[in-house]
Amino acid sequence: MHYSGDDLFTRISFMIRPKDRIGLVGKNGAGKTTLLRLMCGIEVPRGGEIVIPEETTIGYLPQEKEHNSQQTVLKEAFLAFDEINRLEQQIAQTGTLLASRDDYESAAYHRLIEKLAVLNERFAMIGGQSLEGEAEKVLLGLGFERSDFSRPMAEFSNGWQMRVELAKLLLKKPSLLLLDEPTNHLDIESIQWLEQFLQGYYGAIIMVSHDRAFLDNVCNRTIEISQARIYDYKGSYSDYVSNREQRVESQVAAYNNQQREIREIERFIERFRYKSTKAKQVQSRVKLLEKMDEVIVDDRDQSSIHFRFPPAPHSGKIVVEAKKVTKHYGALEVLNSIDLTILRGEKIAFVGRNGEGKSTLSKIIARLLEHEGELKLGHLVSMGYYAQNQGDMLDPEQTVFETLDEIAIGDMRTKVKSLLGAFLFSGETIDKKVKVLSGGEKSRLSLAKLLLKPTNLLVLDEPTNHLDMQSKDILKSALLRFDGTLIVVSHDRDFLQGLTTKVYEFRKPVIREFIGDIYDFLEARAIEKLDELNLARPKQVESSDSQPSVNKTNYAQRKLIDKELRKTDKEIESIENNIQQLELQLETMNEVLKNPAAYAGNTIDDAWYKQYNGIKQEIQQLMENWDEKHREKDELTSKLAQFQ
């Protein structure tokens, strides 16, 4: 695929299996969204083909979509059942045809029976018996309240309307789901619900996401797009990161070996170019150089923001104190009598479903909203605030440089360009107008503004929106070194993990405090929900003979896994022996290559080089098999540990 100039993809091939959970990764502009659009037929490849079986259905969720629906939320969700309505009609028509025939032994009659069976199977599989219950379950899981079901779509923001689009897609149950940044508009609870839904989804899934935890929890395969090629990894995103480093190291080693080999061949050619007795060997080496496939080392994009916050000025022990803070939007009560004390040096996360008051309290602390009750900032508190829509608050007519130069004071005026450089703005880019910047560039520019004056209280509302994974890691690293007080609103669990030591959960119109980081909070919430479930569930009498049966089953499974483990160990040992023998053979041939004159009995011709390259390829294949067997061993060991 190409648009202009270089190919976006060059002769890439891969297969999607029915239960695959694929994370599609690669740097910005690599072609992730384009690949999704190709698979669902919105775009057409310039070469090659995309083969889709006739029975395969595809559902595609883009990052953004224009909405103009006049329906209520529930009626819009019901549009997902168009296929069910068609199936009902086809089932009725086929049943009528069968009833009107009496040629029970004919092939045509049997074809009708088979068609009816297939239609009924599909009807049952996509929930034709329980439409309303399915729609309500998915909408509730994605964060809607029952009272929202009868509200018109136009009353909701674009983010909430995208949730309805996602709900429709999940309700259609296509055999292949293509999801482009599906968590962009979701809160932590909705993301967790979506994770569980996708883990149990019957079909295949391909998704693009910058949420590392989401990818790790859903995906069992990762496809990376890099330099017009793809690399296919078995495992989650974290597995991919580890394996990719190994792959690049292998590429560097292979590149260095190839360069050394080329230099040796060139030296041979130069040395014997004018000797008639060596003419044949020289020609064979010239041809070898011409045929040699160049080893390419992946170009790792190392550009990322790099900065640290200025040392925090000293402040009083109490940084924020709220008493009976209440906030209404018309008849809607968002916060009710909130009491809150934040101490110097605390790192706090505000979490909860969208619309529960997180951003509202952040704005109140930043003194941007009127409210009832009392909220005081402590002695000598200097605050930096990053709004969720901070990029939209920049002056679109100013340049990047003017945006910072306008508010820089004192010594910082001389450091504006170096500060912009730390946030990837350099050369001509500092003269770009804000209105032409991407979402990610606006986010970086807004973060740079925070560094223009020292602060001891940072209030950040969704600071990772539009940032890629590498930039998120740099921001997190800078916040970990920040020695002031931090309040951060985020639904990115990986970003919050280890960053904060206290969590405030917002459940309109009140908040609750949890000590610990985000995963401590999520674990506590899970236990709380389980306790509620157990209280609601009548106690069941356990069968006295159930335990021995369970133990017997566990023993049989453990024995089977142990057998597979021993078999895998033997296969690994065999592969290692083969590699050792081939490497000894290759080492001998390398000695011949280094000094052909010393090994007069060896004829270095095309057949010799063919054998030489064949051994190298065989070693490479064995190494890949060795890696695969070790992954199998790790999985078996993990399974065995569950029975200890």
Side-chain angles (χ1 to χ4, degrees):
M1 182 69 181
H2 66 267
Y3 293 103
S4 60
D6 296 334
D7 283 355
L8 200 55
F9 315 120
T10 304
R11 300 179 63 82
I12 64 171
S13 300
F14 64 97
M15 181 180 286
I16 304 165
R17 295 179 295 269
K19 277 288 187 179
D20 277 341
R21 307 282 186 269
I22 299 172
L24 194 58
V25 301
K27 66 181 183 181
N28 290 343
K32 301 185 293 294
T33 295
T34 300
L35 187 55
L36 296 185
R37 290 167 63 86
L38 285 167
M39 282 190 279
C40 65
I42 295 175
E43 298 197 39
V44 180
R46 300 294 188 268
E49 58 181 339
I50 296 169
V51 181
I52 302 170
E54 188 177 343
E55 67 276 10
T56 298
T57 53
I58 297 178
Y60 172 54
L61 181 78
Q63 285 188 37
E64 298 292 343
K65 185 176 179 180
E66 290 293 326
H67 300 94
N68 53 12
S69 173
Q70 304 302 314
Q71 305 272 21
T72 64
V73 168
L74 190 59
K75 285 184 178 178
E76 182 69 21
F78 264 57
L79 295 179
F81 300 128
D82 286 348
E83 184 184 0
I84 288 179
N85 295 332
R86 288 197 303 272
L87 284 171
E88 283 182 323
Q89 291 175 2
Q90 289 176 314
I91 288 169
Q93 290 168 0
T94 308
T96 302
L97 276 174
L98 279 170
S100 65
R101 301 179 67 139
D102 55 10
D103 53 337
Y104 309 121
E105 302 299 326
S106 69
Y109 189 85
H110 282 282
R111 280 197 298 271
L112 279 175
I113 291 177
E114 288 172 6
K115 180 181 177 182
L116 185 61
V118 169
L119 291 171
N120 278 315
E121 185 180 348
R122 176 67 182 166
F123 183 80
M125 189 271 292
I126 62 177
Q129 317 285 352
S130 53
L131 304 189
E132 189 165 347
E134 283 288 310
E136 289 186 0
K137 183 180 79 173
V138 171
L139 288 171
L140 290 170
L142 291 175
F144 288 92
E145 302 287 349
R146 290 190 182 278
S147 56
D148 294 329
F149 294 170
S150 57
R151 290 174 58 191
M153 287 281 288
E155 290 184 8
F156 291 88
S157 68
N158 185 65
W160 282 93
Q161 292 192 46
M162 284 302 296
R163 291 193 190 204
V164 178
E165 287 300 316
L166 177 56
K168 287 161 63 178
L169 204 59
L170 300 180
L171 289 167
K172 284 181 178 178
K173 299 182 181 176
S175 42
L176 173 60
L177 272 175
L178 306 176
L179 306 176
D180 198 350
E181 296 286 1
T183 63
N184 268 359
H185 308 289
L186 303 181
D187 49 60
I188 287 179
E189 283 195 16
S190 299
I191 291 172
Q192 286 185 297
W193 179 89
L194 181 60
E195 279 176 2
Q196 293 172 358
F197 185 95
L198 294 179
Q199 285 165 2
Y201 191 70
Y202 90 99
I205 303 165
I206 298 185
M207 67 177 76
V208 177
S209 179
H210 286 141
D211 188 326
R212 184 184 279 108
F214 183 70
L215 287 171
D216 275 344
N217 290 334
V218 175
C219 295
N220 56 21
R221 183 177 165 195
T222 304
I223 292 179
E224 178 197 16
I225 304 174
S226 176
Q227 294 187 331
R229 293 177 293 172
I230 64 165
Y231 297 92
D232 203 337
Y233 297 87
K234 182 181 178 182
S236 65
Y237 179 82
S238 294
D239 295 330
Y240 145 73
V241 171
S242 172
N243 291 332
R244 186 184 191 278
E245 287 302 313
Q246 294 174 18
R247 185 190 89 217
V248 174
E249 287 173 10
S250 298
Q251 286 177 339
V252 170
Y255 176 81
N256 291 336
N257 287 337
Q258 187 181 61
Q259 292 303 305
R260 186 165 57 249
E261 185 181 343
I262 289 171
R263 286 194 298 272
E264 289 169 354
I265 294 172
E266 286 175 340
R267 278 200 299 270
F268 181 91
I269 293 170
E270 192 63 32
R271 182 178 176 187
F272 298 108
R273 182 187 297 274
Y274 303 108
K275 289 193 175 182
S276 58
T277 56
K278 298 284 186 180
K280 188 175 180 181
Q281 291 161 316
V282 168
Q283 279 300 110
S284 72
R285 280 166 173 73
V286 170
K287 289 178 181 176
L288 179 66
L289 281 179
E290 291 172 351
K291 292 178 182 177
M292 192 175 287
D293 290 330
E294 182 186 0
V295 174
I296 298 174
V297 179
D298 283 347
D299 178 24
R300 286 182 286 183
D301 185 9
Q302 299 294 348
S303 59
S304 64
I305 55 176
H306 52 94
F307 69 97
R308 64 183 304 162
F309 290 95
H314 187 74
S315 70
K317 184 177 180 181
I318 295 177
V319 176
V320 178
E321 186 175 21
K323 293 181 179 178
K324 306 297 180 187
V325 169
T326 301
K327 178 64 182 176
H328 294 82
Y329 289 102
L332 179 64
E333 185 179 50
V334 180
L335 300 172
N336 180 27
S337 296
I338 301 299
D339 292 328
L340 181 71
T341 301
I342 297 174
L343 304 179
R344 182 179 62 237
E346 285 191 317
K347 302 288 193 292
I348 293 169
F350 284 179
V351 304
R353 297 165 68 176
N354 291 349
E356 297 288 338
K358 305 184 298 294
S359 294
T360 298
L361 186 55
S362 300
K363 289 175 183 175
I364 289 173
I365 293 172
R367 296 177 169 174
L368 297 175
L369 276 182
E370 296 292 332
H371 59 90
E372 300 171 36
E374 183 182 3
L375 187 135
K376 294 189 300 184
L377 296 182
H379 181 59
L380 296 178
V381 169
S382 171
M383 181 168 48
Y385 174 66
Y386 181 96
Q388 192 173 149
N389 61 337
Q390 189 75 38
D392 298 332
M393 296 165 67
L394 301 171
D395 185 343
E397 295 303 322
Q398 284 189 323
T399 66
V400 169
F401 179 79
E402 288 168 350
T403 301
L404 263 61
D405 187 58
E406 181 185 56
I407 57 174
I409 56 173
D411 292 343
M412 288 306 297
R413 290 191 67 85
T414 62
K415 300 178 181 177
V416 169
K417 285 191 176 180
S418 61
L419 179 59
L420 286 170
F423 283 83
L424 307 184
F425 295 106
S426 58
E428 296 179 358
T429 58
I430 69 172
D431 297 319
K432 275 185 177 181
K433 287 202 171 183
V434 169
K435 64 183 178 183
V436 303
L437 298 180
S438 68
E441 288 172 326
K442 288 179 182 177
S443 296
R444 297 203 307 268
L445 184 58
S446 300
L447 284 170
K449 286 180 67 177
L450 286 179
L451 273 67
L452 287 173
K453 67 171 185 175
T455 58
N456 48 35
L457 170 62
L458 281 175
V459 181
L460 309 179
D461 191 355
E462 299 287 6
T464 62
N465 280 359
H466 307 295
L467 293 183
D468 58 33
M469 288 190 183
Q470 195 174 9
S471 296
K472 284 197 292 187
D473 289 342
I474 301 295
L475 174 59
K476 181 175 178 177
S477 177
L479 290 173
L480 285 168
R481 295 195 301 269
F482 176 61
D483 55 357
T485 306
L486 172 68
I487 300 171
V488 58
V489 180
S490 179
H491 63 257
D492 191 321
R493 292 157 295 171
D494 183 71
F495 179 73
L496 290 176
Q497 185 183 18
L499 178 61
T500 58
T501 54
K502 185 184 288 187
V503 174
Y504 282 102
E505 181 192 19
F506 283 68
R507 287 194 169 270
K508 191 169 54 184
V510 298
I511 63 174
R512 298 172 61 191
E513 178 186 288
F514 289 82
I515 303 299
D517 83 349
I518 186 64
Y519 282 101
D520 296 325
F521 159 72
L522 292 174
E523 185 179 351
R525 288 289 290 122
I527 292 171
E528 199 174 281
K529 286 181 179 177
L530 188 60
D531 288 343
E532 291 170 4
L533 187 62
N534 288 337
L535 285 172
R537 182 187 296 150
K539 291 185 179 179
Q540 296 179 348
V541 179
E542 291 186 5
S543 170
S544 59
D545 60 350
S546 62
Q547 191 62 35
S549 175
V550 170
N551 287 340
K552 187 175 180 181
T553 303
N554 287 348
Y555 172 79
Q557 290 178 323
R558 188 167 63 243
K559 191 174 179 182
L560 186 63
I561 293 170
D562 194 58
K563 181 181 177 183
E564 287 294 319
L565 198 54
R566 288 197 303 274
K567 179 185 173 186
T568 304
D569 279 333
K570 286 182 181 178
E571 289 173 338
I572 290 172
E573 185 180 354
S574 174
I575 291 171
E576 288 173 347
N577 289 336
N578 289 338
I579 290 172
Q580 188 176 6
Q581 291 173 10
L582 287 169
E583 284 179 338
L584 287 172
Q585 194 175 346
L586 191 66
E587 191 175 333
T588 302
M589 297 184 82
N590 279 330
E591 291 299 320
V592 174
L593 198 60
K594 287 178 186 176
N595 190 4
Y599 296 88
N602 289 276
T603 303
I604 302 179
D605 54 13
D606 285 350
W608 191 93
Y609 273 109
K610 188 174 181 181
Q611 182 189 4
Y612 179 81
N613 289 325
I615 292 172
K616 287 171 70 174
Q617 289 173 5
E618 194 173 349
I619 290 173
Q620 180 64 31
Q621 183 61 52
L622 285 169
M623 288 300 297
E624 290 175 3
N625 293 345
W626 186 84
D627 282 337
E628 181 64 29
K629 289 300 174 185
H630 267 283
R631 281 195 291 271
E632 289 177 12
K633 181 179 178 180
D634 289 343
E635 290 174 6
L636 289 168
T637 304
S638 177
K639 288 180 182 177
L640 193 62
Q642 297 173 11
F643 296 104
Q644 301 301 326

